[in-house]
Amino acid sequence: MRKVFFLFFLAALSSCKKEASKEIVIIEKKVVKQSEMAALMLEMYNTNLENKKRILEGESPTQYPKDFSKIYSAKLTDSTDRNASFNAFSDFYLYTLKKVYNAPKDSLKIYHNNAVNSCISCHETTCIGPIPRIKKLLIK
Ligand code: HEC
């Protein structure tokens, strides 16, 4: 039974086309060897979730996560994803994210949503599965 259970998770995770639920991601961390990029993406997801919470509480995000520049080197599940357009989307994402950390308090929501939309822009070209989850990071 246990085995079948894990196989199900592996199947759910092996493709960018499918959306992984939160539960799957937590279990995945323990049992599946994920790519460096997938691990970085989850970190990025959590940081943006944290930022959303802070902004909704009227606080600014704390510190710009310098290690997100790993997006230029992290190993991908599918290495052919890394092309000129991928690097351009990476530049754009980090550019919009930096702006969140320098934004005046009354514009935080706009800058945060810009950063999240830049996640979505890249995902539309490379990995559509997580888009519904990423959209939850937007502040309405
Ligand atoms: C430059 C393109 C690009 C940008 C920008 C980008 N992503 Fe990704 N994302 C990818 C690719 C490609 C993958 C698949 C990685 C792999 O499997 O190696 C991925 C995977 C993911 C995953 C699935 C990880 C898993 O469990 O396998 C999540 C969640 C995710 N990204 C969220 C985000 C969030 C949130 C942002 C913005 C903060 C973001 N992404 C920005 C390209 C991008």
Side-chain angles (χ1 to χ4, degrees), residues 13 16 20 25 28 34-39 41-42 44-45 48 71 75-78 81 85-87 89-90 93 115-116 118-120 122-123 126-127 130 133-134 137:
L13 286 161
C16 265
V25 171
E28 175 205 20
Q34 57 182 184
S35 74
E36 281 173 21
M37 187 63 87
M41 288 290 157
L42 294 177
M44 284 164 43
Y45 184 89
N48 280 274
I71 197 168
K75 277 211 183 73
L76 286 147
T77 305
D78 177 0
D81 278 345
S85 113
F86 188 92
N87 288 333
F89 278 119
S90 303
Y93 171 64
V116 174
S118 76
C119 305
I120 295 169
C122 184
H123 273 258
T126 51
C127 178
R133 254 181 90 204
I134 300 174
L137 296 171

Side-chain angles (χ1 to χ4, degrees), residues 67-80:
D67 62 335
F68 286 3
S69 58
K70 283 191 292 198
I71 197 168
Y72 295 112
S73 57
K75 277 211 183 73
L76 286 147
T77 305
D78 177 0
S79 61
T80 61

Side-chain angles (χ1 to χ4, degrees), residues 106-123:
D106 59 356
S107 321
L108 278 170
K109 180 182 143 178
I110 297 169
Y111 286 101
H112 172 79
N113 284 345
N114 282 347
V116 174
N117 280 321
S118 76
C119 305
I120 295 169
S121 307
C122 184
H123 273 258

